[in-house]
Amino acid sequence: MAEEKADGSLVFHPLDQFIVKPLFGDGAVGVFTITNATLWLAIAVLAIVALFVMGTKKRDIVPGRSQSVAELFYSFIYKMVEDVCGKEGAKYFPYIMTLFVFILFSNYLALLPMSFSPTSHIAVTAILGFGVFIVVTVLGFVLHGATFLGMFWMKDAPAILRPIIAVIEVISYFVRPVSHSIRLAGNIMAGHAVIKVFAGFAAIAAIAPVSIGAIMAIYGLEILVCGIQAYVFTILTCVYLKDALHPHH
Amino acid sequence: MATEPVETAASACVGPSGSAIGMPQLCADWIPNQVFWLLVTLVVIYFVLSRIALPRIASVLAERSGTIINDIAAAEELKLKAQEAETAYEQALKDARAEAAKIVAAAKADIQTELDAELAKADAQISEKTAQSEAAIAEIRAGAVKSVTAVAKDTAKEIVGALGGSADAKTVTAAVTARMKG
């Protein structure tokens, strides 16, 4: 990432890892072009299939290792959906599970060296975030009609404050998908970029040990962040879904 | 980790040297491609999960909890059976003990009667022997007294004769007999 220029100064390209490029040939990136992003999305799908389909193939009563992990994720997300959204939320469980495993696997696969991180791209996370927002909003109106708007009208608040609170609530409601998607992309991108910057410093022999130590530390942090961001995205999705299912409370 | 420099600048977002111009995340040229492949990925994951993986895991979990409940019920049943068996065993043990005590008592009684009979027999024999012995002793004693009397009479007659007295046999005998009685 960092090559020494003729004058000896270092040049960093920490963002080059996020470049989308065609996997075959050097043409332009069209809608259907198979790119490095496609490759890593496909790897994520394969990893998910390996864990959730191959891993559970034996249907053991006493589960093996991979089946235990698959069951762990299943129970974890199922419980989360049920705890946050209630019993009615259970039928949206497959969608939320899809989001969770996609983000989790993309995040962790992105930690492999030379890999591409789909979830560091705002284009990806915005589709996820706005997708959740649109689905949840439509669901709210379909289930509750216009009374869904009552969510913004705080009946507990003093009458004079209600319109002000309503405005704030509406704004915060529309900010949700933005924060939802930028949180994920920002976290993943920042971590990867920081690792790249430290990797660039490793070119200088004198500070290479410090730099490599820092890469290890940030990598450890990233392992946490990957799991936490997948969790946060999922639980926020559950919370938004709960607002659509039970707007009055 | 390094991205190899791309020979040709294929996009407005990549410079001639192959490095990014600005943030690659904001490159509009790539967004349709990313969105397309993301949607394909999500649909594939959704179908894999909702059609295969999740029902399978759900059935495994349900089956497991069913198995566990069944096993607990079976264990409960077995425990009851074991308790029953234990009571039956205790009962059998008690019965056997009682039986044994009975047998012991009977044996003791038998032995006692036998012993009593033997003792009585022995006592009878002993008393018979004693009687015989006493008879023998009495006979011997009588014999001895007779002999002594005879000897005493003879001796007395001889002594009287030797001393020059002449006493008739009858008187000597009577005197000796009177003496002997004293």
Side-chain angles (χ1 to χ4, degrees):
Chain A
M1 283 332 289
E3 62 260 26
E4 259 182 276
K5 273 190 172 174
D7 58 2
S9 67
L10 286 169
V11 180
F12 295 101
H13 302 294
L15 298 179
D16 283 7
Q17 59 179 323
F18 303 120
I19 290 174
V20 176
K21 52 182 181 289
L23 216 53
F24 310 107
D26 291 324
V29 177
V31 176
F32 307 115
T33 312
I34 294 175
T35 61
N36 52 347
T38 317
L39 173 70
W40 285 93
L41 290 172
I43 291 174
V45 170
L46 289 180
I48 290 164
V49 169
L51 178 62
F52 285 92
V53 178
M54 302 302 162
T56 58
K57 206 163 205 139
K58 283 191 273 178
R59 298 161 173 265
D60 288 331
I61 289 296
V62 178
R65 268 176 285 185
S66 54
Q67 195 185 326
S68 294
V69 174
E71 284 174 12
L72 189 80
F73 283 133
Y74 179 97
S75 314
F76 178 63
I77 300 302
Y78 195 87
K79 200 169 174 305
M80 186 198 286
V81 173
E82 214 175 49
D83 286 353
V84 178
C85 305
K87 286 275 177 216
E88 316 84 287
K91 68 177 163 201
Y92 305 104
F93 164 67
Y95 302 98
I96 291 174
M97 186 74 179
T98 303
L99 279 179
F100 176 75
V101 293
F102 169 70
I103 296 170
L104 190 80
F105 277 73
S106 298
N107 284 356
Y108 277 112
L109 287 169
L111 282 180
L112 295 174
M114 312 290 292
S115 70
F116 177 83
S117 16
T119 42
S120 70
H121 276 263
I122 198 74
V124 170
T125 59
I127 291 294
L128 300 176
F130 280 92
V132 169
F133 175 75
I134 291 165
V135 168
V136 158
T137 309
V138 168
L139 198 67
F141 279 111
V142 167
L143 291 178
H144 303 283
T147 55
F148 180 60
L149 291 172
M151 196 175 96
F152 303 113
W153 195 253
M154 295 283 154
K155 292 208 174 58
D156 305 333
I160 199 160
L161 286 178
R162 277 181 210 167
I164 303 167
I165 292 175
V167 170
I168 296 171
E169 285 287 323
V170 169
I171 292 171
S172 84
Y173 188 80
F174 282 96
V175 169
R176 275 177 179 185
V178 178
S179 68
H180 203 189
S181 49
I182 290 179
R183 181 184 303 110
L184 176 59
N187 268 285
I188 302 303
M189 189 202 121
H192 285 252
V194 167
I195 289 178
K196 272 286 149 67
V197 169
F198 279 117
F201 277 119
I204 305 168
I207 57 170
V210 180
S211 158
I212 289 166
I215 289 173
M216 282 164 62
I218 300 288
Y219 197 92
L221 187 68
E222 280 307 292
I223 288 173
L224 279 177
V225 166
C226 286
I228 290 167
Q229 287 307 318
Y231 173 75
V232 166
F233 194 97
T234 315
I235 200 156
L236 283 175
T237 304
C238 291
V239 169
Y240 299 162
L241 181 62
K242 185 206 71 180
D243 281 346
L245 295 176
H246 321 279
H248 318 289
H249 48 89
Chain B
M1 293 239 274
T3 309
E4 298 309 318
V6 181
E7 279 73 29
T8 52
S11 154
C13 311
V14 180
S17 66
S19 47
I21 301 167
M23 271 177 71
Q25 276 84 352
L26 301 179
C27 181
D29 290 4
W30 300 332
I31 289 178
N33 176 276
Q34 285 177 290
V35 170
F36 170 72
W37 287 112
L38 172 68
L39 293 178
V40 170
T41 305
L42 289 179
V43 168
V44 170
I45 295 174
Y46 174 74
F47 277 102
V48 166
L49 288 182
S50 64
R51 293 293 141 88
I52 307 171
L54 300 183
R56 185 185 290 174
I57 296 174
S59 77
V60 167
L61 291 178
E63 205 178 318
R64 179 174 311 145
S65 64
T67 308
I68 289 170
I69 288 167
N70 283 345
D71 284 1
I72 287 172
E76 204 65 39
E77 211 169 288
L78 286 176
K79 197 180 162 193
L80 280 179
K81 268 188 191 161
Q83 273 171 353
E84 258 166 48
E86 204 192 339
T87 356
Y89 164 77
E90 295 282 347
Q91 189 57 43
L93 199 65
K94 227 159 91 183
D95 288 355
R97 283 224 177 95
E99 188 79 6
K102 232 183 262 171
I103 288 168
V104 166
K108 258 186 188 161
D110 277 2
I111 289 167
Q112 195 60 49
T113 35
E114 225 165 279
L115 193 66
D116 286 351
E118 289 293 322
L119 275 177
K121 221 190 209 170
D123 279 350
Q125 276 177 355
I126 288 165
S127 50
E128 199 179 316
K129 285 260 180 206
T130 311
Q132 276 176 2
S133 306
E134 269 169 5
I137 289 165
E139 207 172 296
I140 289 165
R141 187 174 283 158
V145 168
K146 216 188 257 170
S147 304
V148 167
T149 314
V151 170
K153 279 172 189 169
D154 289 348
T155 312
K157 275 177 203 165
E158 289 300 317
I159 291 169
V160 170
L163 290 174
S166 62
D168 66 315
K170 245 185 186 160
T171 319
V172 172
T173 304
V176 169
T177 307
R179 271 317 242 198
M180 293 268 298
K181 268 180 189 160

